Amino acid sequence: MDIYVVQDGDTITSIANQFGVTETRLILDNGISNPYDLVFGQTIVITYPQKTYLVQEGDTLSEIAFNNGISIMQLYRNNPYLWDREFIYPGEVLIINYNTNATVTTNAYAFPFIDKNIAKKSLPYLTYLSILNYKTLKQGEIESFYDDSDLIAIAKYFGVAPLMLVTSVTFRGERNPELVNDILLNPDYQDRHAQNMLKIMKEKGYYGVNITITYLNKDNQELYIEYLKRITSHLNKEGFPVFVTIDPNFMTEENELLFEKVNYSNYNELVDLTYVMRFFWGTQFGPPMPVSSISDISIYVNYMKQMIAPQNINIGFPLLGYDWEIPYIEGFTKGNAITLDTAVELARITKSTILFDKISETPYYEYNIGKNTAQHIVWFVDARTIYAIVQLVIENELQGTGLWNIMTYYPQLWLIINSNFTIKKILPENSSDSL
């Protein structure tokens, strides 16, 4: 796999010729919306399949999959543009497989109202789907907001294990430390919390639960351990696995990364998998900064590996960008979330050059529209960031990744993961060709 960064004067034709691939393949694989007006600094992913198939007259997808020894779902996974097509055409080339040499688990976070077309394109690449629909209330009660039945059913159809995501944070990112402390200090509330989780998982058909852990520090780490012991004793007894998502609460002072030096030794035995991920919401009130930092994540993973087995650790990262007005004014300036496609499109419209920060391994650019408008800066992630995460997983022999979130479809993400890894499935995928 290659990641090419568009240079001044490049065209989709010149890039295709340089790498010996077709323009159509580059456009389809990367989901390029404006292939004939590329952005200086934009990334394009070029993959080299191990085996391809030239479609013949009268072929069907099910026959192609069967004759090449793969599942129909794998054929869609390797050629995701087929989801938008009713037919295949003689002479076009389908990817049969990639030369992957590692297997990972993947988990993504989504709301129940995710667009079904986006869901069906993303789910083939997932092991787990954490559905964000349940908020912890006082005394261990749980509140739900949407009907998640359809999304649970669709996930299972694609062989994805649905996880009930339980959090004390609101959908707008508002936190309630008092509520968390009340539950951590009261075993009766913890038992009620566990029983409420069990009731919902049984009624809805969830595979397990993913609990977000916030405000974790040296002072309350033992309380969290006792909480997890009570929760897992209830849920494991009923056959439900327990996962946790930990927000490391990174801070930087004088260019030094600071985080709570929590003891994670007990997490090996208490939970099935641990996700390390910062949560990002619609608005950022802090100063402009990278939305992800490979350097910071690497430092934190090395710290966690001293206590948690690497095969139990998953790296989470955001699939979004933020647009700030500058100069930054504390208490006034805020960053507004934008999709990754929007970040590139905005650079194209404003004729901005996308730059790259080598420490965080994330892209950024500045822009303004018109002479009398405010200056803006945009930070986001691109193929280079995603590949750096992939490399961290491989080098540290971690279990896999967590993706926040998949409410929009980003082809380069799945192209990179799918061409480097075999996706672990713990539920059977549907084998029908009437998808």
Side-chain angles (χ1 to χ4, degrees):
M1 188 196 76
D2 285 317
I3 297 176
Y4 182 74
V5 181
V6 174
Q7 304 298 306
D8 191 22
D10 279 339
T11 66
I12 195 69
T13 303
S14 67
I15 297 170
N17 290 339
Q18 179 179 341
F19 289 94
V21 296
T22 65
E23 294 177 32
T24 300
R25 172 59 66 180
L26 286 185
I27 295 169
L28 289 174
D29 280 354
N30 289 270
I32 304 173
S33 56
N34 289 283
Y36 301 104
D37 188 13
L38 299 176
V39 180
F40 191 170
Q42 176 180 357
T43 55
I44 295 178
V45 178
I46 302 97
T47 61
Y48 305 98
Q50 185 178 48
K51 183 179 180 182
T52 60
Y53 178 79
L54 184 66
V55 176
Q56 307 295 314
E57 186 75 39
D59 278 342
T60 66
L61 290 179
S62 56
E63 290 173 343
I64 294 171
F66 178 80
N67 292 336
N68 286 279
I70 63 172
S71 67
I72 186 73
M73 196 65 73
Q74 185 65 27
L75 198 56
Y76 275 95
R77 195 156 33 236
N78 293 338
N79 306 274
Y81 61 87
L82 293 175
W83 290 114
D84 300 318
R85 299 257 297 269
E86 188 175 353
F87 304 103
I88 53 175
Y89 303 97
E92 68 177 324
V93 177
L94 299 181
I95 296 172
I96 300 301
N97 56 41
Y98 291 100
N99 184 24
T100 57
N101 54 15
T103 299
V104 295
T105 63
T106 53
N107 171 46
Y109 300 75
F111 294 95
F113 51 84
I114 183 174
D115 181 273
K116 288 187 178 179
N117 288 326
I118 292 175
K120 75 177 183 180
K121 288 182 179 181
S122 302
L123 287 169
Y125 303 100
L126 297 179
T127 312
Y128 304 103
L129 176 67
S130 293
I131 300 177
L132 183 56
N133 192 38
Y134 298 93
K135 183 179 180 297
T136 297
L137 302 177
K138 292 180 179 179
Q139 302 180 7
E141 297 297 331
I142 295 176
E143 178 183 21
S144 65
F145 299 92
Y146 303 95
D147 182 3
D148 49 9
S149 303
D150 285 348
L151 185 53
I152 293 170
I154 294 171
K156 290 181 176 179
Y157 180 92
F158 284 93
V160 179
L163 302 179
M164 174 189 177
L165 186 70
V166 180
T167 179
S168 63
V169 182
T170 70
F171 288 0
R172 291 188 295 180
E174 299 161 342
R175 304 190 178 201
N176 190 335
E178 291 80 12
L179 181 150
V180 173
N181 287 333
D182 285 346
I183 294 176
L184 290 178
L185 292 168
N186 193 311
D188 290 336
Y189 294 169
Q190 296 169 24
D191 289 338
R192 185 178 301 159
H193 206 204
Q195 291 303 321
N196 285 325
M197 291 181 204
L198 279 171
K199 182 175 183 293
I200 294 170
M201 286 193 290
K202 289 178 179 179
E203 289 177 352
K204 295 285 190 174
Y206 275 104
Y207 175 83
V209 67
N210 186 353
I211 303 171
T212 66
I213 294 183
T214 54
Y215 313 110
L216 181 59
N217 55 54
K218 291 180 179 179
D219 295 331
N220 65 17
Q221 61 182 347
E222 291 303 321
L223 293 175
Y224 264 113
I225 292 299
E226 293 305 313
Y227 165 81
L228 288 173
K229 285 180 179 178
R230 296 188 78 88
I231 296 297
T232 54
S233 67
H234 286 285
L235 272 58
N236 290 166
K237 191 184 301 181
E238 298 282 347
F240 291 101
V242 176
F243 305 79
V244 293
T245 298
I246 298 173
D247 186 340
N249 295 319
F250 290 150
M251 294 180 293
T252 303
E253 290 186 6
E254 297 180 354
N255 295 322
E256 181 183 359
L257 177 67
L258 302 177
F259 56 84
E260 289 285 343
K261 300 295 193 299
V262 175
N263 184 352
Y264 291 110
S265 300
N266 290 305
Y267 283 69
N268 277 311
E269 298 177 357
L270 284 176
V271 298
D272 291 76
L273 289 176
T274 300
Y275 294 94
V276 180
M277 188 180 67
R278 294 177 61 199
F279 285 104
F280 290 86
W281 306 93
T283 304
Q284 282 280 80
F285 291 99
M289 63 175 63
V291 295
S292 181
S293 172
I294 302 302
S295 174
D296 291 352
I297 294 172
S298 181
I299 292 171
Y300 197 74
V301 166
N302 286 332
Y303 171 76
M304 292 191 76
K305 281 170 56 181
Q306 300 174 49
M307 294 160 281
I308 301 180
Q311 61 268 25
N312 292 337
I313 300 174
N314 298 263
I315 302 175
F317 61 99
L319 298 171
L320 80 172
Y322 281 95
D323 182 346
W324 281 272
E325 186 176 306
I326 51 176
Y328 172 75
I329 303 173
E330 187 174 357
F332 178 78
T333 307
K334 61 183 180 181
N336 294 312
I338 58 175
T339 69
L340 300 183
D341 287 336
T342 299
V344 175
E345 178 64 10
L346 184 57
R348 186 185 70 83
I349 293 172
T350 59
K351 300 187 183 304
S352 302
T353 296
I354 297 174
L355 306 174
F356 190 69
D357 177 58
K358 293 183 178 180
I359 296 176
S360 66
E361 299 194 46
T362 55
Y364 68 98
Y365 60 89
E366 294 185 14
Y367 77 92
N368 64 350
I369 302 175
K371 293 182 179 179
N372 300 318
T373 60
Q375 188 79 3
H376 287 246
I377 185 169
V378 174
W379 284 92
F380 61 112
V381 301
D382 67 7
R384 292 167 288 186
T385 317
I386 295 167
Y387 186 66
I389 292 286
V390 166
Q391 289 300 106
L392 268 181
V393 170
I394 293 174
E395 292 167 3
N396 291 279
E397 299 181 331
L398 305 181
Q399 179 67 224
T401 63
L403 310 165
W404 178 267
N405 55 54
I406 58 164
M407 299 303 287
T408 57
Y409 181 69
Y410 188 54
Q412 285 189 345
L413 164 71
W414 307 119
L415 184 61
I416 292 171
I417 291 178
N418 191 50
S419 62
N420 281 277
F421 298 118
T422 297
I423 310 298
K424 181 178 180 180
K425 291 285 186 176
I426 57 175
L427 297 182
E429 293 181 315
N430 193 290
S431 59
S432 170
D433 61 354
S434 57
L435 302 173

